[in-house]
Amino acid sequence: MGFFGNFIFVIIARMFSGNHLNYIFQEINIETGVTGKCVYDYVQVYSGIGQGAESLGKYCGKLDSIKLASTAHTMTVTFRSDKTFHSKGFKARFDAG
């Protein structure tokens, strides 16, 4: 997924109760910023609904395949981008755990 700057989007995925979700990053190429701490552009994944759920990690930089498993039947994915320095973005998919 390529992206433009200065926006936030949120994806909430849900499986049938009793099932778990996996979120599999196939590629990540997102600005790390000066500090390398994923401050300006990042994708963050939560096990559950919303940003109050358990965080499964905050990702930026250049990374290969990462598989995240939820402990719930829902996951929230938040992507944030500022208005400077745009990279390729990320490619990911959900599957049943």
Side-chain angles (χ1 to χ4, degrees), residues 53-94:
E54 173 192 5
S55 176
L56 298 178
K58 188 177 192 180
Y59 302 92
C60 64
K62 289 185 179 183
L63 304 168
D64 289 325
S65 182
I66 298 171
K67 181 177 180 179
L68 303 172
S70 74
T71 56
H73 67 280
T74 55
M75 289 182 101
T76 301
V77 178
T78 301
F79 175 71
R80 182 192 184 283
S81 170
D82 67 2
K83 61 184 176 181
T84 60
F85 302 113
H86 306 128
S87 298
K88 186 175 178 183
F90 67 96
K91 182 178 180 181
R93 65 183 172 84
F94 289 100

Side-chain angles (χ1 to χ4, degrees), residues 4-92:
F4 298 101
N6 205 26
F7 74 90
I8 297 172
F9 76 76
V10 177
I11 301 167
I12 297 176
R14 178 175 290 172
M15 289 293 293
F16 296 108
S17 185
N19 292 312
H20 299 278
L21 278 169
N22 295 317
Y23 193 66
I24 301 156
F25 286 106
Q26 296 162 312
E27 177 185 6
I28 300 174
N29 186 345
I30 299 172
E31 172 195 5
T32 58
V34 177
T35 64
K37 295 186 179 180
C38 304
V39 175
Y40 304 108
D41 295 358
Y42 59 84
V43 60
Q44 189 158 9
V45 182
Y46 301 89
S47 179
I49 297 177
Q51 296 176 351
E54 173 192 5
S55 176
L56 298 178
K58 188 177 192 180
Y59 302 92
C60 64
K62 289 185 179 183
L63 304 168
D64 289 325
S65 182
I66 298 171
K67 181 177 180 179
L68 303 172
S70 74
T71 56
H73 67 280
T74 55
M75 289 182 101
T76 301
V77 178
T78 301
F79 175 71
R80 182 192 184 283
S81 170
D82 67 2
K83 61 184 176 181
T84 60
F85 302 113
H86 306 128
S87 298
K88 186 175 178 183
F90 67 96
K91 182 178 180 181

